[in-house]
Amino acid sequence: MYLSGITCKEEVIGDHQLITAAVTQAIIMKHFLRMFIQVCLYFYCKCLWRCLKFVVRKLTGRCELQRICYNTKPGAARTMKIEASLKGSKSKRLQTSVSVHPDAIEKTIDDIMELKKINPDINPQLGVSLQACLLQIVGYRNLIVEVEKLRREPYDSENLQHEEMLLKLWKCLKPNSPLKARISKQWCEIGFQGDDPKTDFRGMGLLGLYNLVYFAEWDTEVAQQVLSDSLHPKYREVTKKEISQFSKVEWEKKKFDKAIGYSFAIVGINITDLAYNLLVSGALKTHFYNVAPEAPTLTHFQQTFCYLMHEFHKFWIEEDPLDIMEFNRVREKFHKRILKQLQNPEMALCPHFAASESLINM
Amino acid sequence: MDSRAPSSPLQNEGALQQPSTLQDSPSPPHPRGLLSVIQRLRGSPGQELRIVLLGLDNAGKTTLLKRLASEEVSTITPTQGFNIKSVHSHGFKLNIWDIGGQRAVRPYWRKYLGSTDLLIYVIDSADQKRFEETGQELAELTEEESLMGVPLLVFANKQDLVTAAPAAEIAEGLSLHTYRDREWQIQACSALSGEGVQPSLPLRME
């Protein structure tokens, strides 16, 4: 037995505890060894990778950035490779290039060309390609900052601008029924929780309101349709076979179950959270690098939100949940599905906007 | 704190879930807040407990849930449906259910009440306008058969706001002292800052 390693206070602690302690020690040792091997392997691979890069560079006469631009077509596939290459570079200048100010990008490209000893006259296209990639990379980072700032600004009912936006949301969604008072039960009709929406924005702050207003203003038809569907849950088609399977109580419940609708505005705020998470985690890079020819902007983000709202709505109907209590399960499943789609570098969550169609030209 | 001395509800032996374990429980010297209630409920650690969080919308239930699970509380959104988290704490596995508080969802509350070990009711202490509404909801809940004898922990949340009413005032408004068949405790807290969420406030032992 391997108890010999532990000699301390044998007479105090019982046999059982002794064995437990020994097993624990063995497990710790095993973990340590495994980690040590992984660290060694990491450095070995890194070294091997550097050597390989060096050899390929000597053979082809091109640096990694050049090879990526020549071999990969523009869009997310190329930009993500360039981003990884720059971040993993051993040169400080290249590492920091992904976080420069947008105005300094041209200068940065010149620096990179010089550092990599690439003659811009012989490779005119390379500078242009690199610049496009860098604009997207830097733009994505700045978009996160912009979105985060909006999210952190809480809704303030004393702020006239915020109030105007809230009223605009109502007007766009319910053009034919005017709001009778600022504090009114009517807000529940568009899916807020109570008579004053100000407490519903919570952790999403102004970002939630901006997204909802954008959806209602620029994609009015779809927004109104989604709202109407959320209020009037679809008719459940139940076959005879299904009826025979239900108990009478269950059937009565299903027949009158009106709860498969959801609260439009609240779901909008939840989908804002989903879009925010996709952005911050970097999952949206695939989409933005494919649709934004240069830096992705807040408009791109809001269009993505509209797309997600519409897709979620369809997904919800497809999933056919029993009631609203299933919301988080369906949301989680939807989130996973979008994440999976975004793993494909060709993926663009193409919003059906006429305005954004012209953007997919990369 | 005012909430330290809840009046002593007469112990109705039959109504308490496990009176014998309550007395025999080998509790550590200073059980903390929520845990003090739990330990006295179930005795020895290593067990699963079902806790249900209820209250009006915007009371702070999800923030409290995330706080209890030591998660980030800055990106919370209104709850559609419910959230559930399992928290391992002091040898207990707490399954905490946080159920949406909007009016349309409240009819679903009772679906989640079965075999509950502890009911946590959260109140927005600064929302004076809805004290009556929240009191009514709580009163209806306590009449539910499935919650008979289930201990009640009321969180007087949002104490970080200047307009927040003190816990004692809320306890009075809810007439907690009239409860005869269940243990209760009220706790002032701020789920946002975490203050008062897990205080050392041992419940009366008998």
Side-chain angles (χ1 to χ4, degrees):
Chain A
M1 287 244 295
Y2 36 81
L3 296 184
S4 56
I6 300 155
T7 51
C8 59
K9 295 182 188 167
E10 257 187 288
E11 62 284 358
V12 183
I13 45 176
D15 267 1
H16 178 70
Q17 277 167 310
L18 205 62
I19 293 171
T20 319
V23 170
T24 317
Q25 205 184 31
I27 290 172
I28 292 172
M29 199 65 199
K30 205 171 136 195
H31 273 283
F32 176 75
L33 268 175
R34 190 179 294 164
M35 235 174 69
F36 182 71
I37 291 170
Q38 273 173 355
V39 169
C40 289
L41 215 65
Y42 169 76
F43 281 109
Y44 177 69
C45 289
K46 201 167 173 173
C47 180
L48 206 70
W49 178 244
R50 284 260 154 85
C51 295
L52 197 73
K53 264 176 33 175
F54 180 78
V55 173
V56 176
R57 167 148 207 178
K58 287 293 161 211
L59 283 178
T60 59
R62 288 170 182 170
C63 72
E64 192 184 25
L65 294 174
Q66 275 174 299
R67 293 198 303 275
I68 294 170
C69 286
Y70 283 121
N71 298 332
T72 321
K73 67 175 167 65
R78 179 192 284 180
T79 307
M80 291 211 286
K81 274 187 189 167
I82 294 281
E83 192 172 0
S85 171
L86 289 173
K87 275 187 187 162
S89 169
K90 59 179 188 286
S91 144
K92 260 270 168 307
R93 185 76 193 87
L94 260 63
Q95 274 176 28
T96 54
S97 66
V98 293
S99 50
V100 295
H101 191 270
D103 295 340
I105 284 181
E106 247 172 273
K107 169 88 176 56
T108 310
I109 297 295
D110 292 343
D111 288 355
I112 293 175
M113 301 284 260
E114 201 187 308
L115 204 82
K116 289 283 170 190
K117 300 191 184 68
I118 302 164
N119 187 342
D121 297 329
I122 303 173
N123 304 288
Q125 185 54 39
L126 184 70
V128 178
S129 301
L130 273 182
Q131 188 169 343
C133 289
L134 211 54
L135 270 168
Q136 288 186 321
I137 296 165
V138 171
Y140 191 91
R141 286 172 161 247
N142 291 337
L143 181 59
I144 293 182
V145 175
E146 193 181 352
V147 163
E148 181 66 18
K149 202 176 144 207
L150 271 179
R151 186 190 73 76
R152 280 177 186 268
E153 190 171 349
Y155 183 85
D156 175 11
S157 51
E158 314 259 287
N159 187 321
L160 219 63
Q161 222 184 331
H162 297 186
E163 286 286 291
E164 270 171 18
M165 274 208 111
L166 187 63
L167 296 175
K168 187 172 171 187
L169 177 66
W170 177 270
K171 268 187 215 137
C172 291
L173 288 171
K174 290 255 175 191
N176 299 321
S177 80
L179 197 63
K180 292 190 184 84
R182 167 62 183 80
I183 309 267
S184 155
K185 282 265 174 286
Q186 279 177 293
W187 288 112
C188 294
E189 290 171 30
I190 60 170
F192 284 103
Q193 297 198 96
D195 52 13
D196 190 350
K198 74 172 181 189
T199 56
D200 283 341
F201 295 105
R202 313 252 174 109
M204 287 301 120
L206 274 196
L207 186 67
L209 179 60
Y210 270 52
N211 274 349
L212 280 169
V213 170
Y214 189 92
F215 187 32
E217 190 179 11
W218 296 98
D219 203 4
T220 315
E221 217 171 291
V222 174
Q224 286 179 356
Q225 186 59 49
V226 169
L227 170 62
S228 152
D229 288 354
S230 75
L231 288 169
H232 307 285
K234 77 193 170 78
Y235 169 63
R236 266 178 192 276
E237 288 229 35
V238 185
T239 61
K240 274 196 175 161
K241 191 174 162 237
E242 274 183 293
I243 293 175
S244 64
Q245 282 169 350
F246 292 141
S247 69
K248 201 179 171 204
V249 184
E250 253 181 312
W251 165 238
E252 288 296 313
K253 194 170 159 281
K254 257 194 163 355
K255 212 166 102 189
F256 295 105
D257 205 351
K258 290 213 166 210
I260 56 164
Y262 55 77
S263 305
F264 177 84
I266 298 302
V267 166
I269 292 161
N270 271 287
I271 297 296
T272 296
D273 179 47
L274 193 144
Y276 168 77
N277 277 318
L278 289 174
L279 177 76
V280 173
S281 70
L284 274 181
K285 278 180 185 173
T286 337
H287 166 63
F288 285 147
Y289 291 169
N290 279 328
V291 298
E294 289 186 345
T297 60
L298 189 63
T299 311
H300 285 108
F301 180 74
Q302 288 172 324
Q303 286 173 351
T304 311
F305 167 76
C306 299
Y307 169 82
L308 289 172
M309 272 303 268
H310 197 189
E311 285 302 299
F312 179 80
H313 182 66
K314 287 190 269 181
F315 190 71
W316 177 260
I317 291 169
E318 249 171 61
E319 283 288 301
D320 194 21
L322 197 63
D323 56 45
I324 189 63
M325 303 317 270
E326 291 198 58
F327 178 80
N328 277 333
R329 180 188 66 78
V330 176
R331 180 195 189 274
E332 208 38 54
K333 202 169 165 187
F334 179 69
H335 189 177
K336 279 195 184 130
R337 192 164 94 154
I338 296 289
L339 276 178
K340 201 169 170 207
Q341 286 175 352
L342 287 170
Q343 274 169 9
N344 170 11
E346 307 275 309
M347 185 65 195
L349 298 173
C350 286
H352 49 99
F353 282 87
S356 65
E357 265 159 28
S358 62
L359 294 177
I360 309 159
N361 58 358
M362 289 293 286
Chain B
M1 221 175 293
D2 292 322
S3 53
R4 195 176 293 258
S7 64
S8 49
L10 293 171
Q11 295 267 325
N12 181 339
E13 288 241 311
L16 272 169
Q17 282 209 321
Q18 289 187 346
S20 57
T21 14
L22 280 178
Q23 279 152 18
D24 300 338
S25 66
S27 56
H30 294 291
R32 298 170 72 79
L34 190 72
L35 277 158
S36 72
V37 185
I38 294 159
Q39 284 178 340
R40 289 171 21 68
L41 271 176
R42 279 290 187 248
S44 58
Q47 293 181 24
E48 274 190 42
L49 294 175
R50 181 187 166 95
I51 299 176
V52 178
L53 271 172
L54 295 173
L56 301 189
D57 50 281
N58 201 37
K61 297 178 290 301
T62 309
T63 310
L64 191 68
L65 174 77
K66 296 229 172 184
R67 184 57 77 185
L68 288 170
S70 313
E71 284 178 22
E72 174 68 35
V73 294
S74 75
T75 58
I76 282 162
T77 55
T79 306
Q80 275 278 276
F82 66 90
N83 301 301
I84 177 168
K85 287 207 184 297
S86 287
V87 180
H88 289 271
S89 180
H90 294 61
F92 289 97
K93 186 182 178 200
L94 313 178
N95 295 320
I96 312 176
W97 296 70
D98 151 40
I99 301 164
Q102 100 189 75
R103 199 177 273 279
V105 176
R106 288 178 214 163
Y108 290 93
W109 282 2
R110 68 178 57 134
K111 265 174 67 178
Y112 294 83
L113 301 179
S115 55
T116 297
D117 296 305
L118 172 68
L119 172 66
I120 298 183
Y121 196 78
V122 189
I123 291 171
D124 176 351
S125 310
D127 191 6
Q128 316 247 359
K129 266 190 286 178
R130 293 204 293 168
F131 277 177
E132 203 185 320
E133 188 181 341
T134 196
Q136 266 170 11
E137 292 292 347
L138 180 61
E140 272 176 43
L141 272 173
T142 51
E143 276 162 29
E144 284 289 330
E145 209 173 312
S146 46
L147 284 181
M148 279 285 244
V150 173
L152 169 69
L153 176 57
V154 178
F155 271 114
N157 193 20
K158 307 203 184 178
Q159 292 294 327
D160 51 309
L161 299 177
V162 273
T163 50
E169 198 177 293
I170 289 172
E172 197 159 316
L174 297 173
S175 323
L176 290 179
H177 53 276
T178 62
Y179 289 174
R180 292 284 176 265
D181 53 358
R182 76 177 74 237
E183 272 190 277
W184 60 271
Q185 180 178 313
I186 187 162
Q187 174 65 51
C189 79
S190 162
L192 197 66
S193 71
E195 206 173 325
V197 173
Q198 296 224 332
S200 59
L201 239 192
L203 258 187
R204 266 176 333 96
M205 285 307 283
E206 281 197 303

